[in-house]
Amino acid sequence: MVATSGSRLIAEDAVEALKANLLPLAAVLTPNIPEAEVLSGISIADPGDMERAAQAIGERYGCAVLCKGGHNLNDANDLLWRDGTCKWFRGRRIHNPNTHGTGCTLSSAIASNLAKGYDLDTAVERAKAYLSGALAAMLDLGAGSGPMDHLFDLKGEFVL
C-alpha cells in the first residue's frame, strides 16, 4: 500500500477494497510503519505506538500482525501481535543502499516458512535471518535502490 519512501502504491479506492475484501482473510499481516498508520489510524512515533497500532489492526482483521520496524523509528525491530500478546523480534540495521523489495521479501519468507510447517514465531525468526543475509551480501546492481541478493545462501539453511 505504502512504500518505505512514503509513496502510495495503490489508489485510495483500492485500499478500501483491500480492507473490506482481502485483509479479513489473512492469517498474518506485515505492514511497514506507513501502512500500519493507514490500517490502524494511529500515528506511530515510538514502540508503544507500534504496539497499539498492531493490536488495532489485529483486532480489526482477526489475524496476527507483524509491524515492521525501521523507518527511522528503531533499528530493525519488528513487533508481532497475536491473540492479545506482543513479541519483539530484534534486528540490526544493515547499511545497504539496495533495499528495494525488503518488505515483500520478508512477507514471502514468512509465508514460505509457514508452508514448510514452522510455527509463526520460528517463521518470522527465519525470515528475518534470511532478509538480513540477503542485505548483508551487498549485491549492487544498476543505479538507485536496487534489490538485495536473494541467492546469497543458495545451498544453505534457507533452501529446505
Side-chain angles (χ1 to χ4, degrees), residues 52-129:
R52 285 185 289 284
Q55 178 179 356
I57 296 165
E59 289 176 350
R60 181 171 297 144
Y61 298 106
C63 62
V65 177
L66 183 71
C67 190
K68 297 179 294 193
H71 301 89
N72 298 321
L73 179 63
N74 61 38
D75 204 12
N77 301 325
D78 301 331
L79 171 74
L80 179 63
W81 182 93
R82 176 184 49 216
D83 300 325
T85 62
C86 292
K87 179 177 180 178
W88 284 95
F89 290 83
R90 306 288 178 195
R92 66 176 179 85
R93 182 174 303 278
I94 296 169
H95 296 284
N96 181 341
N98 298 303
T99 58
H100 186 77
T102 53
C104 294
T105 296
L106 182 65
S107 62
S108 296
I110 292 168
S112 296
N113 283 303
L114 291 171
K116 291 177 182 179
Y118 291 102
D119 64 81
L120 184 55
D121 285 7
T122 305
V124 170
E125 287 171 5
R126 286 177 53 86
K128 283 185 67 71

Side-chain angles (χ1 to χ4, degrees), residues 18 21-30 57-58 61-65:
L18 185 73
N21 301 310
L22 187 59
L23 299 186
L25 302 175
V28 60
L29 298 175
T30 59
I57 296 165
Y61 298 106
C63 62
V65 177

Side-chain angles (χ1 to χ4, degrees), residues 33-45 48-57 60:
I33 297 294
E35 290 168 336
E37 289 177 330
V38 169
L39 292 174
S40 68
I42 296 171
S43 179
I44 300 174
D49 292 338
M50 280 179 74
E51 291 181 10
R52 285 185 289 284
Q55 178 179 356
I57 296 165
R60 181 171 297 144

